[in-house]
Amino acid sequence: QKEVEQNSGPLSVPEGAIASLNCTYSDRGSQSFFWYRQYSGKSPELIMFIYSNGDKEDGRFTAQLNKASQYVSLLIRDSQPSDSATYLCAVNGGSGANNLFFGTGTRLTVIP
Amino acid sequence: DVKVTQSSRYLVKRTGEKVFLECVQDMDHENMFWYRQDPGLGLRLIYFSYDVKMKEKGDIPEGYSVSREKKERFSLILESASTNQTSMYLCASSFPTGGGYGYTFGSGTRLTVV
């Protein structure tokens, strides 16, 4: 069973701070990595994806990937109360597999 | 705006009823998935399909079946609903590119079995 591990939290940060969310995965063959945001009672929405080692920035969000350490992270700069949600890490199966494997999510609370 | 549409947002059914959850996508995606999501357990894959009339069991298929007669529609069937099937059900779809583009989720159906 391919595993994706996340700290369930809750993670609390003050408004304006940087929130750091972490994820590790077990399958060294994984090639695609995704971060989904899920508000309470809503469905997950894709906010970031990364395929290559290093950083990828999109507005206040930065995804970081280290394949050697099998580690992917999401940084949220200038955190806002509207960022309060559960963040799901997802990783594709290796060898061209079609499925994604999801972590159980980290709940983030941004305190005004 | 591309969409994955689930037919019901909230549903209440009685134990033993046969329940149909419908999912339709307009993105011409080959792959479609059904998950259930429960607190503390995350997303659990029930069934998936890579093509019309094709289906594969996921991690927790017991008590469920699926139907995919058309590319855009993937139905989840609870043959005889039980209280332990009370959950949030999420449909998703994707292109068949090794999961490279991620999934698009529907808005979810919160099913309560009484």
Side-chain angles (χ1 to χ4, degrees):
Chain A
Q1 177 75 354
K2 301 180 196 301
E3 294 188 352
V4 179
E5 302 282 346
Q6 294 181 255
N7 188 327
S8 62
L11 173 66
S12 295
V13 300
E15 184 175 354
I18 295 175
S20 178
L21 305 165
N22 304 315
C23 173
T24 59
Y25 59 96
S26 64
D27 186 353
R28 283 197 171 275
S30 296
Q31 300 168 356
S32 306
F33 307 86
F34 305 88
W35 283 100
Y36 286 82
R37 178 177 61 201
Q38 186 175 23
Y39 292 114
S40 180
K42 303 294 185 181
S43 63
E45 58 175 323
L46 181 65
I47 56 171
M48 288 287 289
F49 60 89
I50 186 167
Y51 304 143
S52 303
N53 275 329
D55 295 359
K56 179 182 178 182
E57 188 174 316
D58 183 2
R60 296 186 296 111
F61 298 96
T62 299
Q64 298 176 317
L65 175 60
N66 185 325
K67 289 185 179 180
S69 300
Q70 296 176 245
Y71 178 91
V72 58
S73 65
L74 179 70
L75 301 178
I76 307 175
R77 290 183 302 281
D78 188 24
S79 296
Q80 301 297 310
S82 59
D83 295 326
S84 298
T86 296
Y87 290 80
L88 303 174
C89 173
V91 176
N92 84 311
S95 303
N98 277 296
N99 288 9
L100 293 182
F101 297 88
F102 289 85
T104 54
T106 298
R107 196 172 80 204
L108 171 66
T109 300
V110 180
I111 303 167
Chain B
D1 192 20
V2 294
K3 279 187 178 176
V4 177
T5 302
Q6 293 185 231
S7 54
S8 303
R9 188 74 179 92
Y10 298 95
L11 212 52
V12 180
K13 295 293 182 181
R14 295 194 179 278
T15 302
E17 277 193 77
K18 192 169 186 176
V19 181
F20 293 86
L21 303 183
E22 304 288 344
C23 176
V24 177
Q25 51 95 4
D26 64 0
M27 295 170 283
D28 202 31
H29 284 169
E30 283 79 1
N31 300 346
M32 297 188 75
F33 308 85
W34 275 107
Y35 288 87
R36 63 177 285 177
Q37 187 175 34
D38 302 287
L41 298 177
L43 289 165
R44 292 185 289 169
L45 182 62
I46 305 171
Y47 268 96
F48 59 98
S49 169
Y50 293 154
D51 201 353
V52 176
K53 296 192 185 293
M54 175 271 179
K55 60 185 178 184
E56 292 283 348
K57 293 181 180 179
D59 299 320
I60 52 163
E62 296 78 18
Y64 303 94
S65 63
V66 290
S67 172
R68 192 163 181 202
E69 296 295 319
K70 294 183 178 181
K71 186 177 183 179
E72 66 271 18
R73 186 180 297 269
F74 193 35
S75 302
L76 180 69
I77 303 156
L78 286 66
E79 298 291 344
S80 178
S82 64
T83 55
N84 63 12
Q85 292 178 311
T86 291
S87 185
M88 169 72 95
Y89 289 88
L90 290 162
C91 176
S93 70
S94 77
F95 288 116
T97 51
Y101 292 98
Y103 295 174
T104 301
F105 284 89
S107 56
T109 295
R110 185 164 293 282
L111 172 67
T112 302
V113 182
V114 298

